[in-house]
mmCIF file of all heavy atoms in Angstrom:
data_model
loop_
_atom_site.group_PDB
_atom_site.id
_atom_site.type_symbol
_atom_site.label_atom_id
_atom_site.label_comp_id
_atom_site.label_asym_id
_atom_site.label_seq_id
_atom_site.Cartn_x
_atom_site.Cartn_y
_atom_site.Cartn_z
ATOM 1 N N LEU A 270 -3.552 3.718 9.070
ATOM 2 C CA LEU A 270 -3.609 4.839 8.130
ATOM 3 C C LEU A 270 -4.964 5.530 8.219
ATOM 4 O O LEU A 270 -5.048 6.773 8.218
ATOM 5 C CB LEU A 270 -3.364 4.338 6.704
ATOM 6 C CG LEU A 270 -3.268 5.416 5.604
ATOM 7 C CD1 LEU A 270 -2.095 6.340 5.858
ATOM 8 C CD2 LEU A 270 -3.134 4.756 4.234
ATOM 9 N N LEU A 271 -6.040 4.747 8.350
ATOM 10 C CA LEU A 271 -7.385 5.311 8.476
ATOM 11 C C LEU A 271 -7.556 6.055 9.798
ATOM 12 O O LEU A 271 -8.353 6.989 9.890
ATOM 13 C CB LEU A 271 -8.438 4.194 8.371
ATOM 14 C CG LEU A 271 -8.577 3.536 6.984
ATOM 15 C CD1 LEU A 271 -9.533 2.359 7.042
ATOM 16 C CD2 LEU A 271 -9.049 4.565 5.955
ATOM 17 N N HIS A 272 -6.804 5.631 10.826
ATOM 18 C CA HIS A 272 -6.854 6.317 12.119
ATOM 19 C C HIS A 272 -5.940 7.541 12.156
ATOM 20 O O HIS A 272 -5.799 8.186 13.197
ATOM 21 C CB HIS A 272 -6.468 5.354 13.254
ATOM 22 C CG HIS A 272 -7.576 4.457 13.695
ATOM 23 N ND1 HIS A 272 -7.816 3.230 13.106
ATOM 24 C CD2 HIS A 272 -8.545 4.604 14.648
ATOM 25 C CE1 HIS A 272 -8.856 2.650 13.692
ATOM 26 N NE2 HIS A 272 -9.315 3.456 14.620
ATOM 27 N N GLY A 273 -5.297 7.819 11.035
ATOM 28 C CA GLY A 273 -4.420 8.986 10.972
ATOM 29 C C GLY A 273 -3.095 8.803 11.667
ATOM 30 O O GLY A 273 -2.439 9.787 12.021
ATOM 31 N N ALA A 274 -2.702 7.547 11.896
ATOM 32 C CA ALA A 274 -1.426 7.274 12.566
ATOM 33 C C ALA A 274 -0.706 6.151 11.841
ATOM 34 O O ALA A 274 -0.575 5.040 12.370
ATOM 35 C CB ALA A 274 -1.656 6.910 14.028
ATOM 36 N N PRO A 275 -0.237 6.382 10.611
ATOM 37 C CA PRO A 275 0.425 5.317 9.849
ATOM 38 C C PRO A 275 1.651 4.779 10.568
ATOM 39 O O PRO A 275 2.374 5.530 11.229
ATOM 40 C CB PRO A 275 0.805 6.011 8.532
ATOM 41 C CG PRO A 275 0.849 7.467 8.861
ATOM 42 C CD PRO A 275 -0.199 7.675 9.911
ATOM 43 N N ASN A 276 1.881 3.457 10.426
ATOM 44 C CA ASN A 276 3.044 2.844 11.056
ATOM 45 C C ASN A 276 3.928 2.192 9.994
ATOM 46 O O ASN A 276 3.726 2.384 8.794
ATOM 47 C CB ASN A 276 2.605 1.819 12.112
ATOM 48 C CG ASN A 276 1.746 0.717 11.516
ATOM 49 O OD1 ASN A 276 1.626 0.579 10.297
ATOM 50 N ND2 ASN A 276 1.151 -0.092 12.372
ATOM 51 N N MET A 277 4.915 1.436 10.457
ATOM 52 C CA MET A 277 5.841 0.800 9.514
ATOM 53 C C MET A 277 5.110 -0.170 8.586
ATOM 54 O O MET A 277 5.476 -0.333 7.426
ATOM 55 C CB MET A 277 6.947 0.057 10.275
ATOM 56 C CG MET A 277 7.759 0.920 11.220
ATOM 57 S SD MET A 277 8.697 2.216 10.399
ATOM 58 C CE MET A 277 9.478 3.000 11.800
ATOM 59 N N ASP A 278 4.072 -0.825 9.117
ATOM 60 C CA ASP A 278 3.296 -1.741 8.278
ATOM 61 C C ASP A 278 2.609 -0.996 7.141
ATOM 62 O O ASP A 278 2.350 -1.569 6.074
ATOM 63 C CB ASP A 278 2.241 -2.459 9.127
ATOM 64 C CG ASP A 278 2.842 -3.516 10.038
ATOM 65 O OD1 ASP A 278 4.047 -3.797 9.871
ATOM 66 O OD2 ASP A 278 2.134 -4.050 10.902
ATOM 67 N N THR A 279 2.306 0.283 7.371
ATOM 68 C CA THR A 279 1.681 1.087 6.318
ATOM 69 C C THR A 279 2.610 1.207 5.116
ATOM 70 O O THR A 279 2.169 1.145 3.963
ATOM 71 C CB THR A 279 1.326 2.482 6.861
ATOM 72 O OG1 THR A 279 0.531 2.357 8.028
ATOM 73 C CG2 THR A 279 0.557 3.290 5.813
ATOM 74 N N LEU A 280 3.898 1.383 5.386
ATOM 75 C CA LEU A 280 4.873 1.478 4.290
ATOM 76 C C LEU A 280 4.903 0.178 3.490
ATOM 77 O O LEU A 280 4.930 0.186 2.253
ATOM 78 C CB LEU A 280 6.268 1.773 4.845
ATOM 79 C CG LEU A 280 6.446 3.068 5.638
ATOM 80 C CD1 LEU A 280 7.893 3.204 6.092
ATOM 81 C CD2 LEU A 280 6.038 4.275 4.817
ATOM 82 N N VAL A 281 4.901 -0.955 4.214
ATOM 83 C CA VAL A 281 4.921 -2.264 3.545
ATOM 84 C C VAL A 281 3.645 -2.454 2.732
ATOM 85 O O VAL A 281 3.674 -2.862 1.562
ATOM 86 C CB VAL A 281 5.055 -3.402 4.584
ATOM 87 C CG1 VAL A 281 5.024 -4.762 3.898
ATOM 88 C CG2 VAL A 281 6.336 -3.238 5.384
ATOM 89 N N ALA A 282 2.499 -2.165 3.355
ATOM 90 C CA ALA A 282 1.212 -2.357 2.689
ATOM 91 C C ALA A 282 1.086 -1.467 1.459
ATOM 92 O O ALA A 282 0.620 -1.915 0.396
ATOM 93 C CB ALA A 282 0.074 -2.072 3.673
ATOM 94 N N LEU A 283 1.508 -0.208 1.582
ATOM 95 C CA LEU A 283 1.411 0.707 0.440
ATOM 96 C C LEU A 283 2.329 0.269 -0.692
ATOM 97 O O LEU A 283 1.922 0.235 -1.860
ATOM 98 C CB LEU A 283 1.761 2.129 0.881
ATOM 99 C CG LEU A 283 0.689 2.888 1.676
ATOM 100 C CD1 LEU A 283 1.230 4.227 2.132
ATOM 101 C CD2 LEU A 283 -0.565 3.081 0.829
ATOM 102 N N GLY A 284 3.576 -0.063 -0.367
ATOM 103 C CA GLY A 284 4.531 -0.473 -1.400
ATOM 104 C C GLY A 284 4.054 -1.704 -2.152
ATOM 105 O O GLY A 284 4.084 -1.744 -3.390
ATOM 106 N N SER A 285 3.580 -2.704 -1.404
ATOM 107 C CA SER A 285 3.119 -3.941 -2.036
ATOM 108 C C SER A 285 1.826 -3.719 -2.818
ATOM 109 O O SER A 285 1.677 -4.199 -3.951
ATOM 110 C CB SER A 285 2.906 -5.010 -0.956
ATOM 111 O OG SER A 285 2.404 -6.199 -1.508
ATOM 112 N N SER A 286 0.901 -2.974 -2.223
ATOM 113 C CA SER A 286 -0.401 -2.757 -2.871
ATOM 114 C C SER A 286 -0.273 -1.942 -4.153
ATOM 115 O O SER A 286 -0.924 -2.252 -5.166
ATOM 116 C CB SER A 286 -1.362 -2.056 -1.903
ATOM 117 O OG SER A 286 -1.589 -2.847 -0.760
ATOM 118 N N VAL A 287 0.560 -0.903 -4.106
ATOM 119 C CA VAL A 287 0.753 -0.090 -5.307
ATOM 120 C C VAL A 287 1.374 -0.940 -6.420
ATOM 121 O O VAL A 287 0.974 -0.847 -7.586
ATOM 122 C CB VAL A 287 1.632 1.144 -4.997
ATOM 123 C CG1 VAL A 287 2.051 1.848 -6.280
ATOM 124 C CG2 VAL A 287 0.884 2.108 -4.086
ATOM 125 N N SER A 288 2.337 -1.795 -6.057
ATOM 126 C CA SER A 288 2.950 -2.681 -7.054
ATOM 127 C C SER A 288 1.896 -3.606 -7.667
ATOM 128 O O SER A 288 1.859 -3.793 -8.892
ATOM 129 C CB SER A 288 4.051 -3.535 -6.404
ATOM 130 O OG SER A 288 5.076 -2.737 -5.886
ATOM 131 N N PHE A 289 1.045 -4.154 -6.820
ATOM 132 C CA PHE A 289 0.031 -5.100 -7.309
ATOM 133 C C PHE A 289 -1.009 -4.384 -8.170
ATOM 134 O O PHE A 289 -1.362 -4.869 -9.261
ATOM 135 C CB PHE A 289 -0.659 -5.782 -6.125
ATOM 136 C CG PHE A 289 -1.687 -6.790 -6.539
ATOM 137 C CD1 PHE A 289 -1.316 -8.083 -6.870
ATOM 138 C CD2 PHE A 289 -3.034 -6.443 -6.628
ATOM 139 C CE1 PHE A 289 -2.262 -9.020 -7.273
ATOM 140 C CE2 PHE A 289 -3.979 -7.364 -7.036
ATOM 141 C CZ PHE A 289 -3.593 -8.654 -7.353
ATOM 142 N N LEU A 290 -1.505 -3.245 -7.696
ATOM 143 C CA LEU A 290 -2.548 -2.530 -8.441
ATOM 144 C C LEU A 290 -2.017 -2.023 -9.784
ATOM 145 O O LEU A 290 -2.730 -2.050 -10.793
ATOM 146 C CB LEU A 290 -3.079 -1.367 -7.592
ATOM 147 C CG LEU A 290 -3.880 -1.784 -6.345
ATOM 148 C CD1 LEU A 290 -4.231 -0.571 -5.512
ATOM 149 C CD2 LEU A 290 -5.135 -2.558 -6.742
ATOM 150 N N TRP A 291 -0.770 -1.546 -9.797
ATOM 151 C CA TRP A 291 -0.169 -1.119 -11.068
ATOM 152 C C TRP A 291 -0.083 -2.306 -12.038
ATOM 153 O O TRP A 291 -0.471 -2.197 -13.206
ATOM 154 C CB TRP A 291 1.212 -0.522 -10.833
ATOM 155 C CG TRP A 291 1.963 -0.270 -12.109
ATOM 156 C CD1 TRP A 291 2.861 -1.078 -12.718
ATOM 157 C CD2 TRP A 291 1.822 0.871 -12.953
ATOM 158 N NE1 TRP A 291 3.316 -0.529 -13.884
ATOM 159 C CE2 TRP A 291 2.689 0.679 -14.062
ATOM 160 C CE3 TRP A 291 1.068 2.041 -12.883
ATOM 161 C CZ2 TRP A 291 2.817 1.615 -15.088
ATOM 162 C CZ3 TRP A 291 1.203 2.978 -13.901
ATOM 163 C CH2 TRP A 291 2.061 2.764 -14.998
ATOM 164 N N SER A 292 0.397 -3.432 -11.528
ATOM 165 C CA SER A 292 0.524 -4.627 -12.375
ATOM 166 C C SER A 292 -0.844 -5.112 -12.845
ATOM 167 O O SER A 292 -0.991 -5.577 -13.990
ATOM 168 C CB SER A 292 1.229 -5.745 -11.603
ATOM 169 O OG SER A 292 2.507 -5.320 -11.171
ATOM 170 N N LEU A 293 -1.847 -5.014 -11.983
ATOM 171 C CA LEU A 293 -3.202 -5.411 -12.367
ATOM 172 C C LEU A 293 -3.714 -4.538 -13.519
ATOM 173 O O LEU A 293 -4.334 -5.028 -14.474
ATOM 174 C CB LEU A 293 -4.136 -5.308 -11.157
ATOM 175 C CG LEU A 293 -5.579 -5.798 -11.355
ATOM 176 C CD1 LEU A 293 -5.591 -7.286 -11.681
ATOM 177 C CD2 LEU A 293 -6.409 -5.516 -10.095
ATOM 178 N N GLY A 294 -3.428 -3.217 -13.409
ATOM 179 C CA GLY A 294 -3.821 -2.314 -14.486
ATOM 180 C C GLY A 294 -3.125 -2.656 -15.795
ATOM 181 O O GLY A 294 -3.748 -2.649 -16.871
ATOM 182 N N VAL A 295 -1.822 -2.984 -15.719
ATOM 183 C CA VAL A 295 -1.073 -3.368 -16.920
ATOM 184 C C VAL A 295 -1.645 -4.672 -17.491
ATOM 185 O O VAL A 295 -1.757 -4.833 -18.720
ATOM 186 C CB VAL A 295 0.425 -3.532 -16.584
ATOM 187 C CG1 VAL A 295 1.189 -4.127 -17.768
ATOM 188 C CG2 VAL A 295 1.022 -2.190 -16.188
#
């Protein structure tokens, strides 16, 4: 993602990270 070429792992990482960060905020 930082190299400007997101891959399938980016989708997994974003989905999981957003879930975790949202839950951490809650």
Side-chain angles (χ1 to χ4, degrees):
L270 185 62
L271 291 174
H272 279 88
N276 59 11
M277 302 296 179
D278 287 351
T279 306
L280 300 181
V281 178
L283 284 175
S285 177
S286 299
V287 169
S288 298
F289 181 83
L290 292 174
W291 171 265
S292 302
L293 185 63
V295 172

